[in-house]
Coordinates of all heavy atoms in Angstrom, one line a residue:
L1 N 16.0 -25.9 -8.9 CA 15.1 -25.4 -7.8 C 14.0 -24.5 -8.4 O 14.4 -23.6 -9.2 CB 15.9 -24.7 -6.8 CG 15.3 -24.5 -5.4 CD1 15.0 -25.8 -4.8 CD2 16.2 -23.7 -4.5
I2 N 12.8 -24.7 -8.1 CA 11.7 -24.0 -8.6 C 11.4 -22.7 -7.7 O 11.3 -22.9 -6.5 CB 10.5 -24.8 -8.8 CG1 10.7 -26.0 -9.7 CG2 9.3 -24.0 -9.3 CD1 9.6 -27.0 -9.8
N3 N 11.2 -21.6 -8.4 CA 11.0 -20.4 -7.7 C 9.5 -20.4 -7.2 O 8.6 -20.5 -8.0 CB 11.2 -19.2 -8.6 CG 11.1 -17.9 -7.9 OD1 10.7 -17.8 -6.7 ND2 11.5 -16.8 -8.6
S4 N 9.3 -20.2 -5.9 CA 7.9 -20.2 -5.3 C 7.1 -19.1 -5.8 O 5.8 -19.2 -6.0 CB 7.9 -20.2 -3.8 OG 8.5 -19.0 -3.3
E5 N 7.7 -17.9 -6.1 CA 6.9 -16.8 -6.6 C 6.4 -17.1 -8.0 O 5.2 -16.7 -8.3 CB 7.8 -15.6 -6.7 CG 7.1 -14.3 -7.2 CD 8.0 -13.1 -7.2 OE1 8.9 -13.0 -6.3 OE2 7.8 -12.2 -8.1
R6 N 7.2 -17.8 -8.8 CA 6.7 -18.2 -10.2 C 5.5 -19.2 -10.1 O 4.6 -19.1 -10.8 CB 7.8 -18.8 -10.9 CG 7.5 -19.0 -12.4 CD 8.7 -19.5 -13.1 NE 9.7 -18.4 -13.2 CZ 10.9 -18.5 -13.7 NH1 11.3 -19.7 -14.1 NH2 11.7 -17.5 -13.8
I7 N 5.6 -20.1 -9.1 CA 4.5 -21.0 -8.9 C 3.2 -20.3 -8.5 O 2.1 -20.5 -9.0 CB 4.8 -22.1 -7.9 CG1 5.9 -23.0 -8.4 CG2 3.6 -22.9 -7.5 CD1 6.5 -23.9 -7.4
N8 N 3.3 -19.4 -7.5 CA 2.2 -18.6 -7.1 C 1.6 -17.8 -8.2 O 0.4 -17.7 -8.3 CB 2.5 -17.7 -5.9 CG 2.8 -18.5 -4.6 OD1 2.3 -19.6 -4.5 ND2 3.5 -17.9 -3.7
T9 N 2.4 -17.2 -9.0 CA 2.0 -16.3 -10.1 C 1.2 -17.1 -11.1 O 0.2 -16.8 -11.6 CB 3.2 -15.6 -10.7 OG1 3.8 -14.8 -9.7 CG2 2.7 -14.6 -11.8
S10 N 1.8 -18.3 -11.5 CA 1.1 -19.1 -12.5 C -0.2 -19.7 -11.9 O -1.2 -19.8 -12.7 CB 2.0 -20.2 -13.0 OG 2.3 -21.1 -11.9
H11 N -0.2 -20.0 -10.7 CA -1.5 -20.5 -10.0 C -2.6 -19.4 -10.1 O -3.7 -19.7 -10.5 CB -1.1 -20.9 -8.6 CG -2.4 -21.3 -7.8 ND1 -3.0 -22.5 -8.0 CD2 -3.0 -20.6 -6.8 CE1 -4.1 -22.5 -7.2 NE2 -4.1 -21.4 -6.4
L12 N -2.2 -18.2 -9.8 CA -3.2 -17.1 -9.8 C -3.6 -16.8 -11.3 O -4.8 -16.5 -11.5 CB -2.6 -15.8 -9.2 CG -2.4 -15.9 -7.7 CD1 -1.7 -14.6 -7.2 CD2 -3.7 -16.1 -7.0
K13 N -2.7 -16.9 -12.2 CA -3.0 -16.6 -13.6 C -3.9 -17.7 -14.1 O -4.9 -17.3 -14.8 CB -1.7 -16.6 -14.4 CG -1.9 -16.1 -15.8 CD -0.5 -16.0 -16.5 CE -0.6 -15.6 -17.9 NZ 0.6 -15.5 -18.6
D14 N -3.7 -18.9 -13.8 CA -4.6 -20.0 -14.2 C -6.0 -19.8 -13.7 O -7.0 -20.2 -14.4 CB -4.1 -21.4 -13.8 CG -2.8 -21.7 -14.5 OD1 -2.5 -21.1 -15.5 OD2 -2.1 -22.6 -14.0
K15 N -6.2 -19.3 -12.5 CA -7.5 -19.1 -11.9 C -8.1 -17.8 -12.3 O -9.2 -17.5 -11.9 CB -7.4 -19.2 -10.4 CG -7.2 -20.7 -9.9 CD -7.4 -20.7 -8.4 CE -7.4 -22.2 -8.0 NZ -7.8 -22.4 -6.7
G16 N -7.4 -16.9 -13.0 CA -7.9 -15.6 -13.4 C -7.9 -14.6 -12.3 O -8.6 -13.7 -12.3
L17 N -7.0 -14.8 -11.3 CA -7.0 -13.9 -10.1 C -5.8 -13.0 -10.1 O -5.7 -12.2 -9.2 CB -7.0 -14.8 -8.8 CG -8.2 -15.6 -8.5 CD1 -8.0 -16.5 -7.3 CD2 -9.4 -14.7 -8.3
L18 N -4.9 -13.1 -11.0 CA -3.7 -12.4 -11.0 C -4.0 -10.8 -11.1 O -3.4 -10.1 -10.3 CB -2.7 -12.8 -12.1 CG -1.4 -12.1 -12.1 CD1 -0.6 -12.4 -10.9 CD2 -0.6 -12.5 -13.3
S19 N -4.9 -10.4 -11.9 CA -5.3 -9.0 -12.0 C -5.8 -8.5 -10.7 O -5.6 -7.4 -10.3 CB -6.3 -8.8 -13.1 OG -5.7 -9.2 -14.4
F20 N -6.7 -9.3 -10.1 CA -7.3 -8.9 -8.8 C -6.3 -8.6 -7.8 O -6.3 -7.6 -7.1 CB -8.3 -10.0 -8.3 CG -8.8 -9.8 -6.9 CD1 -9.7 -8.9 -6.7 CD2 -8.2 -10.5 -5.9 CE1 -10.2 -8.6 -5.4 CE2 -8.7 -10.3 -4.6 CZ -9.7 -9.4 -4.4
F21 N -5.3 -9.6 -7.6 CA -4.3 -9.4 -6.6 C -3.3 -8.3 -6.9 O -2.8 -7.6 -6.1 CB -3.6 -10.7 -6.3 CG -4.4 -11.6 -5.5 CD1 -4.9 -12.8 -6.0 CD2 -4.5 -11.4 -4.1 CE1 -5.6 -13.6 -5.2 CE2 -5.3 -12.2 -3.4 CZ -5.8 -13.4 -3.9
A22 N -3.1 -8.1 -8.2 CA -2.2 -7.0 -8.6 C -2.8 -5.6 -8.3 O -2.2 -4.7 -7.7 CB -1.9 -7.0 -10.1
V23 N -4.1 -5.5 -8.5 CA -4.8 -4.2 -8.2 C -4.9 -4.1 -6.6 O -4.7 -3.0 -6.1 CB -6.2 -4.2 -8.8 CG1 -7.0 -3.0 -8.3 CG2 -6.1 -4.1 -10.3
F24 N -5.1 -5.2 -6.0 CA -5.2 -5.2 -4.5 C -4.0 -4.7 -3.9 O -4.0 -3.9 -3.0 CB -5.5 -6.7 -4.1 CG -5.9 -6.8 -2.6 CD1 -7.2 -6.6 -2.3 CD2 -5.0 -7.1 -1.7 CE1 -7.6 -6.8 -1.0 CE2 -5.4 -7.2 -0.3 CZ -6.7 -7.0 0.0
R25 N -2.8 -5.1 -4.4 CA -1.5 -4.6 -3.9 C -1.2 -3.2 -4.4 O -0.5 -2.4 -3.7 CB -0.4 -5.5 -4.3 CG -0.4 -6.9 -3.6 CD -0.7 -6.8 -2.1 NE 0.2 -5.9 -1.4 CZ -0.1 -5.4 -0.2 NH1 -1.3 -5.6 0.4 NH2 0.7 -4.5 0.4
L26 N -1.7 -2.8 -5.6 CA -1.5 -1.4 -6.0 C -2.2 -0.4 -5.2 O -1.8 0.7 -5.1 CB -1.9 -1.3 -7.5 CG -0.9 -1.8 -8.5 CD1 -1.5 -1.7 -9.9 CD2 0.4 -1.0 -8.4
I27 N -3.3 -0.8 -4.5 CA -4.0 0.1 -3.6 C -3.1 0.6 -2.5 O -3.3 1.7 -2.0 CB -5.2 -0.6 -3.0 CG1 -6.3 -0.8 -4.1 CG2 -5.9 0.2 -1.9 CD1 -7.5 -1.6 -3.7
S28 N -2.1 -0.1 -2.2 CA -1.1 0.3 -1.1 C -0.4 1.6 -1.5 O 0.1 2.3 -0.6 CB -0.1 -0.8 -0.8 OG 0.8 -1.0 -1.9
E29 N -0.4 1.9 -2.8 CA 0.3 3.1 -3.2 C -0.6 4.4 -3.0 O -0.2 5.5 -3.3 CB 0.7 3.0 -4.7 CG 1.7 2.0 -5.0 CD 3.0 2.2 -4.2 OE1 3.4 3.4 -4.0 OE2 3.6 1.2 -3.7
A30 N -1.8 4.2 -2.4 CA -2.7 5.4 -2.2 C -2.0 6.3 -1.1 O -2.4 7.5 -1.1 CB -4.0 4.9 -1.8
S31 N -1.1 5.8 -0.4 CA -0.5 6.7 0.7 C 0.6 7.5 0.1 O 1.1 8.5 0.8 CB 0.0 5.8 1.8 OG 1.0 5.0 1.4
T32 N 1.1 7.3 -1.1 CA 2.3 8.0 -1.6 C 2.0 9.5 -1.8 O 2.9 10.3 -1.5 CB 2.7 7.4 -3.0 OG1 2.9 6.0 -2.8 CG2 3.9 8.0 -3.6
P33 N 0.8 10.0 -2.2 CA 0.7 11.4 -2.3 C 0.8 12.2 -1.0 O 1.3 13.3 -0.9 CB -0.7 11.6 -2.9 CG -1.0 10.3 -3.6 CD -0.3 9.3 -2.8
F34 N 0.5 11.5 0.1 CA 0.6 12.1 1.4 C 2.1 12.2 1.8 O 2.5 13.2 2.5 CB -0.2 11.3 2.5 CG -1.7 11.3 2.2 CD1 -2.3 10.2 1.6 CD2 -2.4 12.4 2.5 CE1 -3.6 10.2 1.3 CE2 -3.8 12.4 2.2 CZ -4.4 11.3 1.6
V35 N 2.9 11.2 1.5 CA 4.3 11.3 1.7 C 4.9 12.4 0.9 O 5.8 13.2 1.4 CB 5.0 9.9 1.4 CG1 6.5 10.0 1.5 CG2 4.4 8.8 2.2
N36 N 4.5 12.5 -0.4 CA 5.0 13.6 -1.2 C 4.6 15.0 -0.6 O 5.4 15.9 -0.7 CB 4.5 13.5 -2.6 CG 5.1 12.2 -3.3 OD1 6.1 11.8 -2.9 ND2 4.4 11.8 -4.3
M37 N 3.4 15.1 -0.2 CA 2.9 16.4 0.4 C 3.7 16.7 1.7 O 4.0 17.9 1.9 CB 1.4 16.3 0.7 CG 0.9 17.6 1.3 SD 1.1 19.1 0.2 CE -0.1 18.9 -1.0
R38 N 4.0 15.7 2.4 CA 4.8 15.9 3.7 C 6.2 16.5 3.3 O 6.7 17.4 3.9 CB 5.0 14.6 4.4 CG 5.8 14.7 5.7 CD 6.0 13.4 6.4 NE 7.0 13.4 7.4 CZ 6.7 13.6 8.7 NH1 5.4 13.7 9.1 NH2 7.7 13.6 9.5
W39 N 6.8 15.9 2.2 CA 8.1 16.4 1.8 C 8.0 17.8 1.3 O 8.8 18.7 1.6 CB 8.6 15.5 0.7 CG 9.9 16.1 0.1 CD1 11.1 15.9 0.5 CD2 10.0 16.9 -1.1 NE1 12.0 16.6 -0.3 CE2 11.3 17.2 -1.3 CE3 9.0 17.4 -2.0 CZ2 11.8 18.0 -2.3 CZ3 9.5 18.2 -3.0 CH2 10.8 18.5 -3.2
Y40 N 6.9 18.1 0.6 CA 6.7 19.5 0.1 C 6.6 20.5 1.2 O 7.2 21.5 1.2 CB 5.5 19.5 -0.8 CG 5.1 20.9 -1.3 CD1 5.9 21.5 -2.4 CD2 4.1 21.6 -0.8 CE1 5.6 22.7 -2.8 CE2 3.8 22.9 -1.3 CZ 4.5 23.4 -2.3 OH 4.3 24.7 -2.7
C41 N 5.8 20.1 2.2 CA 5.6 21.0 3.4 C 6.9 21.2 4.1 O 7.2 22.3 4.6 CB 4.5 20.4 4.3 SG 2.8 20.6 3.6
L42 N 7.7 20.2 4.3 CA 9.0 20.3 5.0 C 9.9 21.2 4.2 O 10.6 22.0 4.7 CB 9.6 19.0 5.2 CG 9.0 18.1 6.3 CD1 9.6 16.7 6.3 CD2 9.1 18.7 7.6
T43 N 9.9 21.0 2.8 CA 10.8 21.8 2.0 C 10.4 23.3 2.0 O 11.3 24.2 2.0 CB 10.7 21.3 0.5 OG1 11.1 19.9 0.5 CG2 11.6 22.1 -0.4
M44 N 9.1 23.6 2.1 CA 8.6 25.0 2.1 C 8.5 25.5 3.5 O 7.9 26.6 3.7 CB 7.2 25.0 1.4 CG 7.3 24.6 0.0 SD 8.4 25.5 -1.1 CE 7.6 27.0 -1.1
N45 N 9.1 24.9 4.5 CA 9.0 25.3 5.9 C 7.6 25.5 6.4 O 7.3 26.5 7.1 CB 9.9 26.6 6.1 CG 11.3 26.3 5.8 OD1 11.9 25.3 6.2 ND2 12.0 27.3 5.2
L46 N 6.8 24.6 6.1 CA 5.4 24.6 6.6 C 5.1 23.5 7.7 O 4.0 23.1 7.8 CB 4.4 24.4 5.4 CG 4.5 25.4 4.2 CD1 3.6 25.0 3.1 CD2 4.0 26.8 4.8
K47 N 6.1 23.2 8.4 CA 5.9 22.2 9.4 C 4.9 22.5 10.5 O 4.3 21.7 11.1 CB 7.3 21.8 10.0 CG 7.3 20.6 10.8 CD 8.6 20.1 11.3 CE 8.5 18.8 12.1 NZ 9.8 18.3 12.5
N48 N 4.7 23.8 10.8 CA 3.8 24.2 11.8 C 2.5 24.6 11.3 O 1.6 25.1 12.0 CB 4.4 25.4 12.6 CG 5.7 25.0 13.4 OD1 5.7 23.9 13.9 ND2 6.7 25.8 13.4
S49 N 2.2 24.3 10.0 CA 0.9 24.7 9.4 C -0.2 23.6 9.6 O 0.1 22.5 9.9 CB 1.1 24.9 7.9 OG 1.4 23.7 7.2
K50 N -1.4 24.1 9.4 CA -2.5 23.1 9.5 C -2.5 22.1 8.4 O -2.9 21.0 8.5 CB -3.9 23.9 9.5 CG -4.1 24.6 10.7 CD -5.5 25.3 10.7 CE -5.7 26.0 12.0 NZ -7.1 26.5 12.1
L51 N -2.0 22.6 7.2 CA -1.9 21.6 6.1 C -1.0 20.4 6.5 O -1.3 19.3 6.1 CB -1.3 22.4 4.9 CG -1.0 21.5 3.6 CD1 -2.3 20.9 3.1 CD2 -0.3 22.3 2.6
Y52 N 0.1 20.7 7.1 CA 1.0 19.7 7.5 C 0.4 18.7 8.5 O 0.5 17.5 8.4 CB 2.3 20.3 8.1 CG 3.4 19.3 8.5 CD1 4.3 18.9 7.5 CD2 3.5 18.9 9.8 CE1 5.3 18.0 7.8 CE2 4.5 18.0 10.1 CZ 5.4 17.5 9.1 OH 6.4 16.6 9.4
M53 N -0.3 19.3 9.4 CA -1.0 18.5 10.5 C -2.1 17.6 9.8 O -2.2 16.4 10.1 CB -1.6 19.4 11.5 CG -2.3 18.5 12.7 SD -3.1 19.5 13.9 CE -4.4 20.2 12.9
Y54 N -3.0 18.2 9.0 CA -4.1 17.5 8.4 C -3.5 16.4 7.4 O -4.1 15.3 7.3 CB -5.1 18.4 7.7 CG -5.8 19.3 8.7 CD1 -6.1 20.6 8.4 CD2 -6.3 18.8 9.9 CE1 -6.8 21.4 9.2 CE2 -7.0 19.5 10.7 CZ -7.3 20.8 10.4 OH -8.0 21.6 11.3
N55 N -2.5 16.8 6.7 CA -1.9 15.8 5.8 C -1.3 14.6 6.6 O -1.4 13.5 6.2 CB -0.7 16.5 5.0 CG -0.1 15.5 4.1 OD1 -0.7 15.0 3.2 ND2 1.2 15.3 4.3
G56 N -0.7 14.9 7.7 CA -0.2 13.8 8.6 C -1.2 12.9 9.1 O -1.1 11.7 9.1
I57 N -2.4 13.5 9.5 CA -3.5 12.6 10.0 C -4.1 11.8 8.9 O -4.2 10.6 9.0 CB -4.6 13.5 10.6 CG1 -4.0 14.2 11.9 CG2 -5.8 12.7 10.9 CD1 -4.9 15.3 12.5
A58 N -4.3 12.4 7.7 CA -4.9 11.8 6.6 C -3.9 10.7 6.0 O -4.3 9.6 5.7 CB -5.2 12.7 5.5
G59 N -2.6 11.1 6.0 CA -1.6 10.1 5.6 C -1.5 8.9 6.4 O -1.4 7.8 6.0
F60 N -1.6 9.1 7.8 CA -1.6 8.0 8.7 C -2.8 7.0 8.5 O -2.7 5.8 8.4 CB -1.6 8.4 10.1 CG -1.8 7.3 11.1 CD1 -0.8 6.5 11.4 CD2 -3.0 7.1 11.7 CE1 -0.9 5.4 12.3 CE2 -3.2 6.1 12.6 CZ -2.2 5.2 12.9
L61 N -4.0 7.6 8.3 CA -5.2 6.9 8.2 C -5.2 6.1 6.8 O -5.6 4.9 6.8 CB -6.5 7.8 8.2 CG -6.7 8.4 9.5 CD1 -7.9 9.4 9.4 CD2 -7.0 7.4 10.6
V62 N -4.8 6.7 5.8 CA -4.7 6.0 4.4 C -3.6 5.0 4.5 O -3.8 3.9 4.0 CB -4.5 7.1 3.4 CG1 -4.1 6.4 2.0 CG2 -5.6 8.0 3.2
F63 N -2.5 5.3 5.1 CA -1.4 4.3 5.2 C -1.8 3.1 5.9 O -1.7 1.9 5.5 CB -0.1 4.9 5.9 CG 1.0 4.0 6.0 CD1 1.9 3.9 4.9 CD2 1.2 3.2 7.1 CE1 3.0 3.0 5.0 CE2 2.3 2.3 7.2 CZ 3.2 2.3 6.1
F64 N -2.5 3.3 7.1 CA -2.9 2.2 7.9 C -4.0 1.3 7.1 O -3.9 0.1 7.0 CB -3.5 2.6 9.2 CG -4.0 1.5 10.1 CD1 -3.1 0.7 10.8 CD2 -5.3 1.1 10.1 CE1 -3.5 -0.4 11.5 CE2 -5.8 0.1 10.8 CZ -4.9 -0.7 11.6
S65 N -5.0 2.0 6.5 CA -6.1 1.3 5.9 C -5.7 0.6 4.6 O -6.2 -0.4 4.2 CB -7.3 2.2 5.7 OG -7.0 3.3 4.8
C66 N -4.7 1.2 3.9 CA -4.4 0.7 2.6 C -3.1 -0.2 2.6 O -2.9 -1.1 1.7 CB -4.0 1.8 1.6 SG -5.5 2.7 1.1
R67 N -2.3 -0.1 3.6 CA -1.1 -1.0 3.7 C -1.2 -2.0 4.9 O -1.0 -3.2 4.7 CB 0.1 -0.1 3.8 CG 0.4 0.7 2.5 CD 1.8 1.3 2.6 NE 2.0 2.1 1.4 CZ 3.2 2.2 0.8 NH1 4.2 1.6 1.3 NH2 3.3 2.9 -0.3
I68 N -1.4 -1.5 6.0 CA -1.3 -2.4 7.2 C -2.5 -3.2 7.3 O -2.4 -4.4 7.5 CB -1.2 -1.5 8.5 CG1 0.0 -0.6 8.4 CG2 -1.1 -2.4 9.7 CD1 1.3 -1.3 8.2
A69 N -3.8 -2.7 7.2 CA -5.0 -3.4 7.4 C -5.2 -4.4 6.3 O -6.0 -5.4 6.4 CB -6.2 -2.5 7.5
T70 N -4.6 -4.3 5.1 CA -4.8 -5.2 4.0 C -3.8 -6.4 4.0 O -4.0 -7.3 3.2 CB -4.7 -4.5 2.7 OG1 -3.5 -3.9 2.5 CG2 -5.8 -3.4 2.6
I71 N -2.9 -6.4 4.9 CA -1.8 -7.4 4.8 C -2.4 -8.8 5.1 O -2.3 -9.7 4.3 CB -0.7 -7.1 5.8 CG1 0.1 -6.0 5.3 CG2 0.2 -8.3 6.0 CD1 1.1 -5.4 6.3
L72 N -3.1 -8.9 6.2 CA -3.7 -10.2 6.6 C -4.8 -10.7 5.6 O -4.7 -11.9 5.2 CB -4.3 -10.2 8.0 CG -3.2 -10.1 9.1 CD1 -3.9 -10.0 10.4 CD2 -2.3 -11.3 9.0
P73 N -5.7 -9.9 5.2 CA -6.7 -10.4 4.1 C -6.0 -10.8 2.8 O -6.4 -11.7 2.2 CB -7.7 -9.2 3.9 CG -7.5 -8.3 5.1 CD -6.2 -8.5 5.7
F74 N -5.0 -10.0 2.4 CA -4.3 -10.3 1.2 C -3.7 -11.7 1.3 O -3.9 -12.6 0.4 CB -3.2 -9.3 0.9 CG -2.4 -9.7 -0.3 CD1 -2.8 -9.5 -1.6 CD2 -1.1 -10.2 -0.1 CE1 -2.0 -9.8 -2.7 CE2 -0.3 -10.5 -1.2 CZ -0.8 -10.3 -2.5
W75 N -2.9 -12.0 2.3 CA -2.2 -13.3 2.4 C -3.2 -14.4 2.7 O -3.0 -15.5 2.2 CB -1.1 -13.2 3.5 CG 0.0 -12.4 3.0 CD1 0.4 -11.2 3.4 CD2 0.9 -12.7 1.9 NE1 1.4 -10.7 2.7 CE2 1.8 -11.7 1.8 CE3 1.1 -13.8 1.1 CZ2 2.8 -11.7 0.9 CZ3 2.1 -13.8 0.2 CH2 3.0 -12.8 0.1
Y76 N -4.3 -14.1 3.4 CA -5.3 -15.1 3.6 C -6.0 -15.6 2.3 O -6.1 -16.7 2.0 CB -6.4 -14.6 4.6 CG -7.5 -15.6 4.8 CD1 -7.3 -16.7 5.7 CD2 -8.7 -15.4 4.2 CE1 -8.4 -17.6 5.9 CE2 -9.8 -16.4 4.4 CZ -9.6 -17.4 5.2 OH -10.6 -18.3 5.4
M77 N -6.4 -14.6 1.5 CA -7.0 -14.9 0.2 C -6.0 -15.5 -0.8 O -6.4 -16.4 -1.6 CB -7.5 -13.6 -0.5 CG -8.8 -13.1 0.2 SD -9.6 -11.7 -0.7 CE -8.4 -10.4 -0.4
L78 N -4.7 -15.1 -0.7 CA -3.7 -15.7 -1.6 C -3.5 -17.2 -1.3 O -3.4 -18.0 -2.3 CB -2.4 -14.9 -1.4 CG -1.3 -15.3 -2.4 CD1 -1.7 -14.9 -3.8 CD2 0.0 -14.6 -1.9
Y79 N -3.5 -17.6 -0.1 CA -3.2 -19.0 0.2 C -4.5 -19.9 0.5 O -4.3 -21.0 0.8 CB -2.3 -19.1 1.3 CG -0.9 -18.7 0.9 CD1 -0.3 -17.5 1.3 CD2 -0.1 -19.5 0.0 CE1 1.0 -17.1 0.9 CE2 1.1 -19.2 -0.4 CZ 1.7 -18.0 0.0 OH 2.9 -17.6 -0.4
N80 N -5.6 -19.4 0.3 CA -6.9 -20.2 0.5 C -7.7 -20.2 -0.8 O -7.6 -19.7 -1.7 CB -7.7 -19.6 1.6 CG -7.1 -19.9 2.9 OD1 -6.5 -20.9 3.1 ND2 -7.3 -19.0 3.9

């Protein structure tokens, strides 16, 4: 049985698109610093601070724009 992930990877590598898609998916990690800052604020008992609130808003916006909003374009470009 042939692994479909291996087929997709070799297909992208042959067309020179593997690096593009790898970077495209790595952009989803842009929300990680906001998650870390949230943990830091919770650990330091800063849950009622403006930093916590602004971090939450920024984290939501970055999470949505880098993870959720890129799902459909990623899979569309991958299979077309």
Side-chain angles (χ1 to χ4, degrees):
L1 198 61
I2 297 174
N3 187 351
S4 65
E5 183 178 327
R6 190 174 291 173
I7 292 171
N8 288 338
T9 303
S10 65
H11 174 71
L12 292 174
K13 189 175 179 183
D14 291 343
K15 289 190 170 191
L17 295 173
L18 186 60
S19 298
F20 170 76
F21 283 108
V23 171
F24 194 84
R25 290 313 310 155
L26 279 174
I27 290 172
S28 68
E29 295 302 320
S31 63
T32 303
F34 298 100
V35 174
N36 292 338
M37 182 58 80
R38 178 183 170 96
W39 173 85
Y40 177 75
C41 288
L42 287 172
T43 302
M44 300 302 290
N45 294 322
L46 297 172
K47 191 171 182 178
N48 295 323
S49 68
K50 287 185 179 183
L51 175 63
Y52 184 83
M53 182 185 67
Y54 292 139
N55 179 63
I57 293 168
F60 172 76
L61 293 173
V62 171
F63 182 86
F64 180 80
S65 62
C66 291
R67 290 191 184 216
I68 307 302
T70 60
I71 291 172
L72 290 177
F74 173 77
W75 289 109
Y76 178 78
M77 287 187 291
L78 186 65
Y79 286 107
N80 286 327

